[in-house]
Amino acid sequence: MLDRCPVVPVVVLDDPAHAVPLGEALLAGGIDVVEITLRTAAGLEGLRALGKLEGMLVGAGTVLVPDQVDEVVEAGAGFVVSPGFSARVVDRAAERDVPVLPGVSGATDLMAVVEHGLSEVKLFPAGPLGGPAVVKALASPFSGMRFMPSGGITPDTMGDYLALPPVPAVSGSWMVERTLLAEQRWAEVTARAANAVARARRWREASGRRTGSRT
């Protein structure tokens, strides 16, 4: 899943009416994957609306318990993201046949991930944990694992992560800040998305790796 787009926006939605124009703005900027969090009451309805937008892969974030897996899958989620590792959430996602990215913060979490047969995870919160250095440290004993760092990622630091072979994608919120959505500044969302994809492409080319973006 992480090969689809190198930058995954993490959205905290306050108004479900903003979901479709937001998705259209991201697609115009070259991003066709988005994570809608369940941090607000509008999250589930927004996910349902975005799931109908052609060309956009919509995932649900901040999934904490198995019942939420059922809710988001029925709303059209194409993948599930959690801030930490929950065996029950991972197992329910497997039962519903939907990809899951559990959050990890260290080797103990990764041991549990390996036991469940997963090879892609969300590293959270990546910045406070130590940034690219912690990816390198964890990737050594878990050589087959692929990471999506999240938390503290900025346009200026994303390249440090994407230059690492086990990092096919990063996630962040700078492209979809809540003020941009509240003010319906869709052109700015498109511009930030396009800038992020262009930066990812340059960093990947500089390191001899393909960007993974479909743009």
mmCIF file of all heavy atoms in Angstrom, residues 18-72:
data_model
loop_
_atom_site.group_PDB
_atom_site.id
_atom_site.type_symbol
_atom_site.label_atom_id
_atom_site.label_comp_id
_atom_site.label_asym_id
_atom_site.label_seq_id
_atom_site.Cartn_x
_atom_site.Cartn_y
_atom_site.Cartn_z
ATOM 1 N N HIS A 18 -16.585 19.586 3.667
ATOM 2 C CA HIS A 18 -15.280 19.932 3.106
ATOM 3 C C HIS A 18 -14.551 18.716 2.526
ATOM 4 O O HIS A 18 -13.507 18.866 1.880
ATOM 5 C CB HIS A 18 -14.399 20.564 4.179
ATOM 6 C CG HIS A 18 -14.885 21.895 4.646
ATOM 7 N ND1 HIS A 18 -14.520 22.448 5.861
ATOM 8 C CD2 HIS A 18 -15.729 22.790 4.069
ATOM 9 C CE1 HIS A 18 -15.100 23.624 6.007
ATOM 10 N NE2 HIS A 18 -15.837 23.860 4.932
ATOM 11 N N ALA A 19 -15.080 17.527 2.743
ATOM 12 C CA ALA A 19 -14.358 16.310 2.366
ATOM 13 C C ALA A 19 -14.104 16.209 0.871
ATOM 14 O O ALA A 19 -12.967 15.990 0.428
ATOM 15 C CB ALA A 19 -15.119 15.077 2.858
ATOM 16 N N VAL A 20 -15.138 16.352 0.068
ATOM 17 C CA VAL A 20 -14.976 16.188 -1.378
ATOM 18 C C VAL A 20 -14.117 17.286 -1.999
ATOM 19 O O VAL A 20 -13.189 16.982 -2.757
ATOM 20 C CB VAL A 20 -16.343 16.083 -2.076
ATOM 21 C CG1 VAL A 20 -16.172 16.112 -3.600
ATOM 22 C CG2 VAL A 20 -17.042 14.788 -1.665
ATOM 23 N N PRO A 21 -14.365 18.573 -1.703
ATOM 24 C CA PRO A 21 -13.460 19.582 -2.260
ATOM 25 C C PRO A 21 -12.013 19.411 -1.807
ATOM 26 O O PRO A 21 -11.085 19.704 -2.554
ATOM 27 C CB PRO A 21 -14.045 20.923 -1.798
ATOM 28 C CG PRO A 21 -15.028 20.589 -0.730
ATOM 29 C CD PRO A 21 -15.502 19.205 -1.007
ATOM 30 N N LEU A 22 -11.829 18.910 -0.584
ATOM 31 C CA LEU A 22 -10.471 18.623 -0.130
ATOM 32 C C LEU A 22 -9.852 17.524 -0.984
ATOM 33 O O LEU A 22 -8.709 17.644 -1.433
ATOM 34 C CB LEU A 22 -10.495 18.179 1.333
ATOM 35 C CG LEU A 22 -9.202 17.552 1.875
ATOM 36 C CD1 LEU A 22 -8.068 18.556 1.849
ATOM 37 C CD2 LEU A 22 -9.419 16.995 3.268
ATOM 38 N N GLY A 23 -10.586 16.456 -1.206
ATOM 39 C CA GLY A 23 -10.072 15.366 -2.031
ATOM 40 C C GLY A 23 -9.750 15.822 -3.434
ATOM 41 O O GLY A 23 -8.719 15.438 -4.001
ATOM 42 N N GLU A 24 -10.596 16.642 -3.998
ATOM 43 C CA GLU A 24 -10.355 17.158 -5.350
ATOM 44 C C GLU A 24 -9.102 18.024 -5.388
ATOM 45 O O GLU A 24 -8.324 17.971 -6.345
ATOM 46 C CB GLU A 24 -11.574 17.945 -5.828
ATOM 47 C CG GLU A 24 -12.797 17.073 -6.062
ATOM 48 C CD GLU A 24 -14.053 17.881 -6.350
ATOM 49 O OE1 GLU A 24 -14.088 19.084 -5.989
ATOM 50 O OE2 GLU A 24 -15.003 17.311 -6.907
ATOM 51 N N ALA A 25 -8.898 18.813 -4.325
ATOM 52 C CA ALA A 25 -7.709 19.662 -4.254
ATOM 53 C C ALA A 25 -6.438 18.822 -4.156
ATOM 54 O O ALA A 25 -5.424 19.137 -4.786
ATOM 55 C CB ALA A 25 -7.812 20.610 -3.062
ATOM 56 N N LEU A 26 -6.485 17.746 -3.378
ATOM 57 C CA LEU A 26 -5.314 16.867 -3.252
ATOM 58 C C LEU A 26 -5.017 16.160 -4.575
ATOM 59 O O LEU A 26 -3.860 16.065 -4.997
ATOM 60 C CB LEU A 26 -5.548 15.847 -2.145
ATOM 61 C CG LEU A 26 -5.563 16.403 -0.718
ATOM 62 C CD1 LEU A 26 -6.018 15.327 0.271
ATOM 63 C CD2 LEU A 26 -4.183 16.934 -0.322
ATOM 64 N N LEU A 27 -6.051 15.666 -5.232
ATOM 65 C CA LEU A 27 -5.847 15.002 -6.523
ATOM 66 C C LEU A 27 -5.233 15.961 -7.533
ATOM 67 O O LEU A 27 -4.356 15.576 -8.313
ATOM 68 C CB LEU A 27 -7.179 14.457 -7.047
ATOM 69 C CG LEU A 27 -7.720 13.197 -6.360
ATOM 70 C CD1 LEU A 27 -9.143 12.913 -6.840
ATOM 71 C CD2 LEU A 27 -6.817 12.004 -6.654
ATOM 72 N N ALA A 28 -5.676 17.205 -7.510
ATOM 73 C CA ALA A 28 -5.124 18.208 -8.437
ATOM 74 C C ALA A 28 -3.643 18.445 -8.168
ATOM 75 O O ALA A 28 -2.895 18.817 -9.080
ATOM 76 C CB ALA A 28 -5.898 19.519 -8.315
ATOM 77 N N GLY A 29 -3.221 18.222 -6.918
ATOM 78 C CA GLY A 29 -1.819 18.389 -6.557
ATOM 79 C C GLY A 29 -0.992 17.132 -6.704
ATOM 80 O O GLY A 29 0.204 17.131 -6.400
ATOM 81 N N GLY A 30 -1.615 16.039 -7.146
ATOM 82 C CA GLY A 30 -0.865 14.804 -7.392
ATOM 83 C C GLY A 30 -0.874 13.800 -6.264
ATOM 84 O O GLY A 30 -0.138 12.822 -6.297
ATOM 85 N N ILE A 31 -1.716 14.013 -5.252
ATOM 86 C CA ILE A 31 -1.809 13.071 -4.126
ATOM 87 C C ILE A 31 -3.125 12.316 -4.219
ATOM 88 O O ILE A 31 -4.203 12.927 -4.251
ATOM 89 C CB ILE A 31 -1.706 13.808 -2.778
ATOM 90 C CG1 ILE A 31 -0.275 14.321 -2.575
ATOM 91 C CG2 ILE A 31 -2.124 12.910 -1.624
ATOM 92 C CD1 ILE A 31 -0.047 15.077 -1.293
ATOM 93 N N ASP A 32 -3.040 10.976 -4.264
ATOM 94 C CA ASP A 32 -4.253 10.169 -4.416
ATOM 95 C C ASP A 32 -4.459 9.188 -3.265
ATOM 96 O O ASP A 32 -5.160 8.188 -3.398
ATOM 97 C CB ASP A 32 -4.244 9.423 -5.755
ATOM 98 C CG ASP A 32 -3.085 8.459 -5.903
ATOM 99 O OD1 ASP A 32 -2.233 8.401 -4.985
ATOM 100 O OD2 ASP A 32 -3.014 7.771 -6.934
ATOM 101 N N VAL A 33 -3.849 9.494 -2.115
ATOM 102 C CA VAL A 33 -4.068 8.733 -0.882
ATOM 103 C C VAL A 33 -4.278 9.734 0.244
ATOM 104 O O VAL A 33 -3.551 10.732 0.335
ATOM 105 C CB VAL A 33 -2.864 7.826 -0.544
ATOM 106 C CG1 VAL A 33 -3.132 7.047 0.741
ATOM 107 C CG2 VAL A 33 -2.549 6.878 -1.684
ATOM 108 N N VAL A 34 -5.257 9.487 1.106
ATOM 109 C CA VAL A 34 -5.505 10.402 2.219
ATOM 110 C C VAL A 34 -5.985 9.602 3.424
ATOM 111 O O VAL A 34 -6.656 8.580 3.276
ATOM 112 C CB VAL A 34 -6.537 11.491 1.829
ATOM 113 C CG1 VAL A 34 -7.897 10.870 1.521
ATOM 114 C CG2 VAL A 34 -6.667 12.552 2.899
ATOM 115 N N GLU A 35 -5.599 10.058 4.595
ATOM 116 C CA GLU A 35 -6.042 9.444 5.848
ATOM 117 C C GLU A 35 -6.969 10.414 6.572
ATOM 118 O O GLU A 35 -6.562 11.522 6.926
ATOM 119 C CB GLU A 35 -4.833 9.129 6.731
ATOM 120 C CG GLU A 35 -5.181 8.617 8.110
ATOM 121 C CD GLU A 35 -3.972 8.497 9.032
ATOM 122 O OE1 GLU A 35 -2.843 8.288 8.526
ATOM 123 O OE2 GLU A 35 -4.148 8.618 10.263
ATOM 124 N N ILE A 36 -8.219 10.005 6.757
ATOM 125 C CA ILE A 36 -9.182 10.799 7.513
ATOM 126 C C ILE A 36 -9.245 10.245 8.930
ATOM 127 O O ILE A 36 -9.605 9.087 9.138
ATOM 128 C CB ILE A 36 -10.590 10.739 6.873
ATOM 129 C CG1 ILE A 36 -10.538 11.180 5.400
ATOM 130 C CG2 ILE A 36 -11.560 11.613 7.660
ATOM 131 C CD1 ILE A 36 -10.140 12.616 5.196
ATOM 132 N N THR A 37 -8.900 11.053 9.899
ATOM 133 C CA THR A 37 -8.858 10.566 11.270
ATOM 134 C C THR A 37 -10.255 10.557 11.893
ATOM 135 O O THR A 37 -11.167 11.270 11.451
ATOM 136 C CB THR A 37 -7.937 11.435 12.145
ATOM 137 O OG1 THR A 37 -8.545 12.726 12.333
ATOM 138 C CG2 THR A 37 -6.570 11.615 11.498
ATOM 139 N N LEU A 38 -10.395 9.755 12.931
ATOM 140 C CA LEU A 38 -11.647 9.697 13.684
ATOM 141 C C LEU A 38 -11.579 10.584 14.924
ATOM 142 O O LEU A 38 -12.273 10.337 15.906
ATOM 143 C CB LEU A 38 -11.943 8.250 14.085
ATOM 144 C CG LEU A 38 -12.117 7.250 12.943
ATOM 145 C CD1 LEU A 38 -12.520 5.882 13.496
ATOM 146 C CD2 LEU A 38 -13.132 7.728 11.919
ATOM 147 N N ARG A 39 -10.766 11.620 14.856
ATOM 148 C CA ARG A 39 -10.602 12.501 16.013
ATOM 149 C C ARG A 39 -11.783 13.453 16.201
ATOM 150 O O ARG A 39 -11.916 14.073 17.265
ATOM 151 C CB ARG A 39 -9.311 13.320 15.875
ATOM 152 C CG ARG A 39 -8.057 12.468 15.784
ATOM 153 C CD ARG A 39 -6.834 13.335 15.597
ATOM 154 N NE ARG A 39 -5.684 12.547 15.158
ATOM 155 C CZ ARG A 39 -4.513 13.064 14.823
ATOM 156 N NH1 ARG A 39 -4.323 14.375 14.909
ATOM 157 N NH2 ARG A 39 -3.531 12.275 14.421
ATOM 158 N N THR A 40 -12.606 13.611 15.166
ATOM 159 C CA THR A 40 -13.764 14.500 15.254
ATOM 160 C C THR A 40 -15.018 13.741 14.838
ATOM 161 O O THR A 40 -14.951 12.700 14.177
ATOM 162 C CB THR A 40 -13.613 15.725 14.328
ATOM 163 O OG1 THR A 40 -13.601 15.276 12.963
ATOM 164 C CG2 THR A 40 -12.333 16.495 14.629
ATOM 165 N N ALA A 41 -16.170 14.312 15.188
ATOM 166 C CA ALA A 41 -17.439 13.684 14.831
ATOM 167 C C ALA A 41 -17.653 13.664 13.319
ATOM 168 O O ALA A 41 -18.411 12.840 12.805
ATOM 169 C CB ALA A 41 -18.582 14.431 15.519
ATOM 170 N N ALA A 42 -16.992 14.565 12.613
ATOM 171 C CA ALA A 42 -17.159 14.655 11.155
ATOM 172 C C ALA A 42 -16.322 13.629 10.405
ATOM 173 O O ALA A 42 -16.504 13.453 9.194
ATOM 174 C CB ALA A 42 -16.790 16.061 10.680
ATOM 175 N N GLY A 43 -15.420 12.952 11.100
ATOM 176 C CA GLY A 43 -14.489 12.068 10.415
ATOM 177 C C GLY A 43 -15.150 10.957 9.642
ATOM 178 O O GLY A 43 -14.845 10.732 8.460
ATOM 179 N N LEU A 44 -16.081 10.258 10.263
ATOM 180 C CA LEU A 44 -16.703 9.096 9.618
ATOM 181 C C LEU A 44 -17.544 9.520 8.412
ATOM 182 O O LEU A 44 -17.475 8.885 7.345
ATOM 183 C CB LEU A 44 -17.561 8.343 10.622
ATOM 184 C CG LEU A 44 -18.021 6.949 10.194
ATOM 185 C CD1 LEU A 44 -16.821 6.025 9.969
ATOM 186 C CD2 LEU A 44 -18.937 6.347 11.248
ATOM 187 N N GLU A 45 -18.310 10.585 8.550
ATOM 188 C CA GLU A 45 -19.128 11.055 7.438
ATOM 189 C C GLU A 45 -18.246 11.571 6.296
ATOM 190 O O GLU A 45 -18.537 11.348 5.120
ATOM 191 C CB GLU A 45 -20.086 12.151 7.898
ATOM 192 C CG GLU A 45 -21.066 12.586 6.827
ATOM 193 C CD GLU A 45 -22.056 13.627 7.322
ATOM 194 O OE1 GLU A 45 -22.155 13.829 8.556
ATOM 195 O OE2 GLU A 45 -22.736 14.245 6.471
ATOM 196 N N GLY A 46 -17.166 12.254 6.659
ATOM 197 C CA GLY A 46 -16.248 12.727 5.634
ATOM 198 C C GLY A 46 -15.580 11.591 4.890
ATOM 199 O O GLY A 46 -15.393 11.637 3.669
ATOM 200 N N LEU A 47 -15.216 10.548 5.630
ATOM 201 C CA LEU A 47 -14.624 9.361 5.011
ATOM 202 C C LEU A 47 -15.609 8.734 4.028
ATOM 203 O O LEU A 47 -15.239 8.330 2.920
ATOM 204 C CB LEU A 47 -14.248 8.369 6.105
ATOM 205 C CG LEU A 47 -13.423 7.145 5.718
ATOM 206 C CD1 LEU A 47 -12.629 6.669 6.929
ATOM 207 C CD2 LEU A 47 -14.289 6.008 5.215
ATOM 208 N N ARG A 48 -16.866 8.665 4.429
ATOM 209 C CA ARG A 48 -17.897 8.079 3.569
ATOM 210 C C ARG A 48 -18.031 8.871 2.269
ATOM 211 O O ARG A 48 -18.157 8.294 1.179
ATOM 212 C CB ARG A 48 -19.221 8.046 4.320
ATOM 213 C CG ARG A 48 -20.316 7.286 3.612
ATOM 214 C CD ARG A 48 -21.562 7.211 4.479
ATOM 215 N NE ARG A 48 -21.371 6.362 5.644
ATOM 216 C CZ ARG A 48 -21.319 6.797 6.891
ATOM 217 N NH1 ARG A 48 -21.420 8.099 7.148
ATOM 218 N NH2 ARG A 48 -21.160 5.956 7.893
ATOM 219 N N ALA A 49 -17.981 10.200 2.354
ATOM 220 C CA ALA A 49 -18.100 11.037 1.163
ATOM 221 C C ALA A 49 -16.873 10.917 0.263
ATOM 222 O O ALA A 49 -16.988 10.795 -0.963
ATOM 223 C CB ALA A 49 -18.314 12.498 1.574
ATOM 224 N N LEU A 50 -15.696 10.927 0.879
ATOM 225 C CA LEU A 50 -14.460 10.853 0.091
ATOM 226 C C LEU A 50 -14.278 9.495 -0.570
ATOM 227 O O LEU A 50 -13.658 9.383 -1.620
ATOM 228 C CB LEU A 50 -13.253 11.142 0.991
ATOM 229 C CG LEU A 50 -12.658 12.536 0.918
ATOM 230 C CD1 LEU A 50 -11.451 12.641 1.833
ATOM 231 C CD2 LEU A 50 -12.258 12.885 -0.495
ATOM 232 N N GLY A 51 -14.831 8.458 0.045
ATOM 233 C CA GLY A 51 -14.701 7.128 -0.514
ATOM 234 C C GLY A 51 -15.355 6.988 -1.875
ATOM 235 O O GLY A 51 -15.058 6.043 -2.615
ATOM 236 N N LYS A 52 -16.233 7.920 -2.203
ATOM 237 C CA LYS A 52 -16.921 7.890 -3.494
ATOM 238 C C LYS A 52 -16.192 8.707 -4.563
ATOM 239 O O LYS A 52 -16.631 8.736 -5.718
ATOM 240 C CB LYS A 52 -18.349 8.418 -3.326
ATOM 241 C CG LYS A 52 -19.187 7.613 -2.346
ATOM 242 C CD LYS A 52 -20.543 8.250 -2.118
ATOM 243 C CE LYS A 52 -21.361 7.480 -1.084
ATOM 244 N NZ LYS A 52 -22.667 8.126 -0.811
ATOM 245 N N LEU A 53 -15.097 9.364 -4.171
ATOM 246 C CA LEU A 53 -14.368 10.207 -5.111
ATOM 247 C C LEU A 53 -13.440 9.343 -5.966
ATOM 248 O O LEU A 53 -12.522 8.702 -5.451
ATOM 249 C CB LEU A 53 -13.557 11.259 -4.347
ATOM 250 C CG LEU A 53 -12.836 12.319 -5.185
ATOM 251 C CD1 LEU A 53 -13.831 13.132 -6.010
ATOM 252 C CD2 LEU A 53 -12.024 13.243 -4.285
ATOM 253 N N GLU A 54 -13.674 9.334 -7.250
ATOM 254 C CA GLU A 54 -12.908 8.482 -8.163
ATOM 255 C C GLU A 54 -11.423 8.844 -8.137
ATOM 256 O O GLU A 54 -11.052 10.009 -8.194
ATOM 257 C CB GLU A 54 -13.440 8.609 -9.585
ATOM 258 C CG GLU A 54 -12.789 7.679 -10.578
ATOM 259 C CD GLU A 54 -13.396 7.768 -11.953
ATOM 260 O OE1 GLU A 54 -14.387 8.503 -12.133
ATOM 261 O OE2 GLU A 54 -12.870 7.094 -12.864
ATOM 262 N N GLY A 55 -10.591 7.819 -8.033
ATOM 263 C CA GLY A 55 -9.155 8.014 -8.078
ATOM 264 C C GLY A 55 -8.500 8.232 -6.745
ATOM 265 O O GLY A 55 -7.274 8.281 -6.645
ATOM 266 N N MET A 56 -9.288 8.341 -5.662
ATOM 267 C CA MET A 56 -8.730 8.602 -4.334
ATOM 268 C C MET A 56 -8.841 7.365 -3.451
ATOM 269 O O MET A 56 -9.920 6.783 -3.317
ATOM 270 C CB MET A 56 -9.461 9.766 -3.664
ATOM 271 C CG MET A 56 -8.952 10.115 -2.270
ATOM 272 S SD MET A 56 -7.242 10.717 -2.257
ATOM 273 C CE MET A 56 -7.469 12.416 -2.830
ATOM 274 N N LEU A 57 -7.723 6.949 -2.866
ATOM 275 C CA LEU A 57 -7.713 5.878 -1.884
ATOM 276 C C LEU A 57 -7.834 6.515 -0.506
ATOM 277 O O LEU A 57 -6.950 7.262 -0.085
ATOM 278 C CB LEU A 57 -6.423 5.060 -1.985
ATOM 279 C CG LEU A 57 -6.226 3.967 -0.929
ATOM 280 C CD1 LEU A 57 -7.341 2.936 -1.005
ATOM 281 C CD2 LEU A 57 -4.858 3.315 -1.080
ATOM 282 N N VAL A 58 -8.912 6.218 0.187
ATOM 283 C CA VAL A 58 -9.204 6.863 1.464
ATOM 284 C C VAL A 58 -9.044 5.861 2.598
ATOM 285 O O VAL A 58 -9.630 4.774 2.570
ATOM 286 C CB VAL A 58 -10.641 7.430 1.477
ATOM 287 C CG1 VAL A 58 -10.886 8.193 2.781
ATOM 288 C CG2 VAL A 58 -10.857 8.338 0.282
ATOM 289 N N GLY A 59 -8.255 6.243 3.587
ATOM 290 C CA GLY A 59 -8.079 5.409 4.766
ATOM 291 C C GLY A 59 -8.612 6.090 6.002
ATOM 292 O O GLY A 59 -8.867 7.302 6.005
ATOM 293 N N ALA A 60 -8.801 5.315 7.051
ATOM 294 C CA ALA A 60 -9.280 5.841 8.323
ATOM 295 C C ALA A 60 -8.154 5.811 9.341
ATOM 296 O O ALA A 60 -7.493 4.784 9.518
ATOM 297 C CB ALA A 60 -10.451 5.013 8.834
ATOM 298 N N GLY A 61 -7.924 6.941 9.994
ATOM 299 C CA GLY A 61 -6.882 7.029 11.008
ATOM 300 C C GLY A 61 -7.458 7.140 12.406
ATOM 301 O O GLY A 61 -8.662 7.354 12.592
ATOM 302 N N THR A 62 -6.586 6.989 13.408
ATOM 303 C CA THR A 62 -6.978 7.018 14.813
ATOM 304 C C THR A 62 -8.019 5.936 15.116
ATOM 305 O O THR A 62 -8.971 6.161 15.862
ATOM 306 C CB THR A 62 -7.503 8.410 15.240
ATOM 307 O OG1 THR A 62 -6.787 9.441 14.564
ATOM 308 C CG2 THR A 62 -7.312 8.619 16.740
ATOM 309 N N VAL A 63 -7.834 4.779 14.512
ATOM 310 C CA VAL A 63 -8.705 3.635 14.784
ATOM 311 C C VAL A 63 -8.146 2.929 16.019
ATOM 312 O O VAL A 63 -7.028 2.408 15.993
ATOM 313 C CB VAL A 63 -8.761 2.686 13.578
ATOM 314 C CG1 VAL A 63 -9.559 1.441 13.913
ATOM 315 C CG2 VAL A 63 -9.353 3.412 12.368
ATOM 316 N N LEU A 64 -8.928 2.912 17.085
ATOM 317 C CA LEU A 64 -8.436 2.462 18.390
ATOM 318 C C LEU A 64 -8.994 1.126 18.855
ATOM 319 O O LEU A 64 -8.343 0.436 19.646
ATOM 320 C CB LEU A 64 -8.748 3.527 19.449
ATOM 321 C CG LEU A 64 -8.266 4.952 19.150
ATOM 322 C CD1 LEU A 64 -8.706 5.889 20.276
ATOM 323 C CD2 LEU A 64 -6.763 4.997 18.977
ATOM 324 N N VAL A 65 -10.202 0.782 18.383
ATOM 325 C CA VAL A 65 -10.856 -0.447 18.854
ATOM 326 C C VAL A 65 -11.459 -1.188 17.674
ATOM 327 O O VAL A 65 -11.715 -0.601 16.616
ATOM 328 C CB VAL A 65 -11.953 -0.126 19.894
ATOM 329 C CG1 VAL A 65 -11.346 0.475 21.156
ATOM 330 C CG2 VAL A 65 -13.009 0.802 19.303
ATOM 331 N N PRO A 66 -11.707 -2.498 17.826
ATOM 332 C CA PRO A 66 -12.229 -3.298 16.707
ATOM 333 C C PRO A 66 -13.539 -2.788 16.122
ATOM 334 O O PRO A 66 -13.737 -2.855 14.900
ATOM 335 C CB PRO A 66 -12.400 -4.682 17.331
ATOM 336 C CG PRO A 66 -11.400 -4.730 18.435
ATOM 337 C CD PRO A 66 -11.366 -3.340 18.991
ATOM 338 N N ASP A 67 -14.444 -2.288 16.956
ATOM 339 C CA ASP A 67 -15.723 -1.797 16.439
ATOM 340 C C ASP A 67 -15.523 -0.670 15.434
ATOM 341 O O ASP A 67 -16.298 -0.523 14.477
ATOM 342 C CB ASP A 67 -16.620 -1.320 17.573
ATOM 343 C CG ASP A 67 -17.209 -2.480 18.378
ATOM 344 O OD1 ASP A 67 -17.078 -3.643 17.928
ATOM 345 O OD2 ASP A 67 -17.768 -2.219 19.457
ATOM 346 N N GLN A 68 -14.486 0.143 15.647
ATOM 347 C CA GLN A 68 -14.212 1.226 14.708
ATOM 348 C C GLN A 68 -13.740 0.679 13.365
ATOM 349 O O GLN A 68 -13.992 1.295 12.326
ATOM 350 C CB GLN A 68 -13.170 2.182 15.295
ATOM 351 C CG GLN A 68 -13.701 3.019 16.445
ATOM 352 C CD GLN A 68 -12.639 3.950 17.012
ATOM 353 O OE1 GLN A 68 -11.483 3.567 17.193
ATOM 354 N NE2 GLN A 68 -13.019 5.177 17.291
ATOM 355 N N VAL A 69 -13.058 -0.452 13.380
ATOM 356 C CA VAL A 69 -12.678 -1.081 12.115
ATOM 357 C C VAL A 69 -13.924 -1.391 11.302
ATOM 358 O O VAL A 69 -14.005 -1.103 10.102
ATOM 359 C CB VAL A 69 -11.859 -2.370 12.358
ATOM 360 C CG1 VAL A 69 -11.562 -3.065 11.026
ATOM 361 C CG2 VAL A 69 -10.564 -2.060 13.086
ATOM 362 N N ASP A 70 -14.926 -1.959 11.940
ATOM 363 C CA ASP A 70 -16.180 -2.271 11.254
ATOM 364 C C ASP A 70 -16.823 -1.004 10.702
ATOM 365 O O ASP A 70 -17.283 -0.971 9.553
ATOM 366 C CB ASP A 70 -17.149 -2.964 12.206
ATOM 367 C CG ASP A 70 -16.650 -4.328 12.650
ATOM 368 O OD1 ASP A 70 -15.935 -4.983 11.867
ATOM 369 O OD2 ASP A 70 -16.971 -4.728 13.778
ATOM 370 N N GLU A 71 -16.844 0.051 11.502
ATOM 371 C CA GLU A 71 -17.483 1.299 11.084
ATOM 372 C C GLU A 71 -16.813 1.891 9.860
ATOM 373 O O GLU A 71 -17.488 2.296 8.895
ATOM 374 C CB GLU A 71 -17.452 2.314 12.232
ATOM 375 C CG GLU A 71 -18.365 1.991 13.394
ATOM 376 C CD GLU A 71 -18.264 3.009 14.506
ATOM 377 O OE1 GLU A 71 -17.253 3.754 14.546
ATOM 378 O OE2 GLU A 71 -19.187 3.067 15.332
ATOM 379 N N VAL A 72 -15.480 1.938 9.872
ATOM 380 C CA VAL A 72 -14.793 2.608 8.771
ATOM 381 C C VAL A 72 -14.812 1.765 7.500
ATOM 382 O O VAL A 72 -14.889 2.316 6.390
ATOM 383 C CB VAL A 72 -13.348 2.992 9.159
ATOM 384 C CG1 VAL A 72 -13.359 3.937 10.350
ATOM 385 C CG2 VAL A 72 -12.474 1.780 9.427
#
